[in-house]
């Protein structure tokens, strides 16, 4: 069954650190290498411990020899995190010349598709691409909210975990309007 009509997805905004979330799955704003980076990625590996990196290395040795393409998502175990799974997704780097918003929307849609495969009912997302990858928060938030609202998913609890007051305010402004 790929259709989940009638299943409501509740979207919640949380200010905080995604590594502290008690959700079935937390989403990592990873890079293509899957071998770690800064921002959310660094925090997840630091707090989750070496088990996550070991799982990422297995992915690189297997199906994802060239890395995880932009806009796609893949799950690993979550090590010492409270979550059961980490869903790694690679956001597009912001570009003023090229509209990459479809790739950013794909990150959310594909992460929820992976969550459905896992049987996860709660998923915590960061604001993908809005840190090191330079996406303007307002646009990144608009794409994130629209993508989750449009998704055909059995996930009932989607949480956006916003790291600072500004990000939270931007999401809250859009979610209300
Ligand atoms: P990207 O490389 O996709 O831009 P980043 O991890 O650099 O990913 O940033 C994505 C967003 O997550 C930014 O808005 C950043 O402020 C925020 N962020 C950084 N650390 C955390 C954290 N521990 N929990 C939640 N959000 C975080």
């Amino acid at each position: 069954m790929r259709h989940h009509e009638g299943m409501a997805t509740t979207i919640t905004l949380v200010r905080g650190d995604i590594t502290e979330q008690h959700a079935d799955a937390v989403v990592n704003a990873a890079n293509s290498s899957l071998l770690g980076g800064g921002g959310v990625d660094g925090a997840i590996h630091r707090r989750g411990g070496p088990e996550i990196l070991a799982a990422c290395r297995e992915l690189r040795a297997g199906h994802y020899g060239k890395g995880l393409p932009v806009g796609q998502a893949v799950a690993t175990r979550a090590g010492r995190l409270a979550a059961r799974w980490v869903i790694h997704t690679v956001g597009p780097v912001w570009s003023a010349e090229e509209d990459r918003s479809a790739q950013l929307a794909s990150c959310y849609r594909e992460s929820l598709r992976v969550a459905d495969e896992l049987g996860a009912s709660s998923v915590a997302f960061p604001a993908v691409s809005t840190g090191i990858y330079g996406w303007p928060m307002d646009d990144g938030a608009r794409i994130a909210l629209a993508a989750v609202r449009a998704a055909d998913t059995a996930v009932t609890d989607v949480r956006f975990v916003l790291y600072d007051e500004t990000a939270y305010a931007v999401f809250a402004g859009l979610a209300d309007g």
Side-chain angles (χ1 to χ4, degrees):
M1 265 260 296
R2 306 256 356 138
H3 287 275
H4 311 284
E5 277 107 326
M7 278 203 206
T9 303
T10 304
I11 298 177
T12 312
L13 308 181
V14 180
R15 178 158 174 218
D17 182 334
I18 194 152
T19 65
E20 292 171 6
Q21 293 300 305
H22 290 252
D24 293 335
V26 297
V27 175
N28 182 17
N31 59 55
S32 231
S33 80
L34 292 175
L35 300 180
V40 171
D41 204 4
I44 282 178
H45 284 290
R46 253 192 321 276
R47 195 166 178 129
E51 221 198 318
I52 302 172
L53 191 55
C56 287
R57 289 215 170 93
E58 287 166 23
L59 290 172
R60 285 300 305 275
H63 189 69
Y64 294 100
K66 292 179 178 162
L68 181 66
V70 174
Q72 293 191 25
V74 66
T76 66
R77 54 195 182 262
R80 294 195 289 261
L81 297 181
R84 253 180 101 182
W85 299 287
V86 175
I87 298 174
H88 307 264
T89 191
V90 182
V93 175
W94 162 256
S95 165
E97 291 80 39
E98 188 186 27
D99 180 6
R100 298 177 180 166
S101 50
Q103 290 178 312
L104 185 54
S106 173
C107 289
Y108 291 96
R109 196 171 52 243
E110 287 298 303
S111 294
L112 289 171
R113 191 183 57 71
V114 169
D116 283 338
E117 282 174 9
L118 295 167
S121 59
S122 55
V123 178
F125 281 100
V128 177
S129 287
T130 65
I132 296 160
Y133 283 1
W135 212 285
M137 187 58 73
D138 187 70
D139 202 46
R142 205 181 298 280
I143 292 164
L145 287 163
V148 170
R149 283 177 181 142
D152 177 22
T153 178
V155 174
T156 52
D157 169 10
V158 168
R159 235 170 287 165
F160 285 106
V161 184
L162 294 325
Y163 204 45
D164 57 45
E165 191 60 54
T166 309
Y168 183 88
V170 168
F171 269 78
L174 291 166
D176 288 349

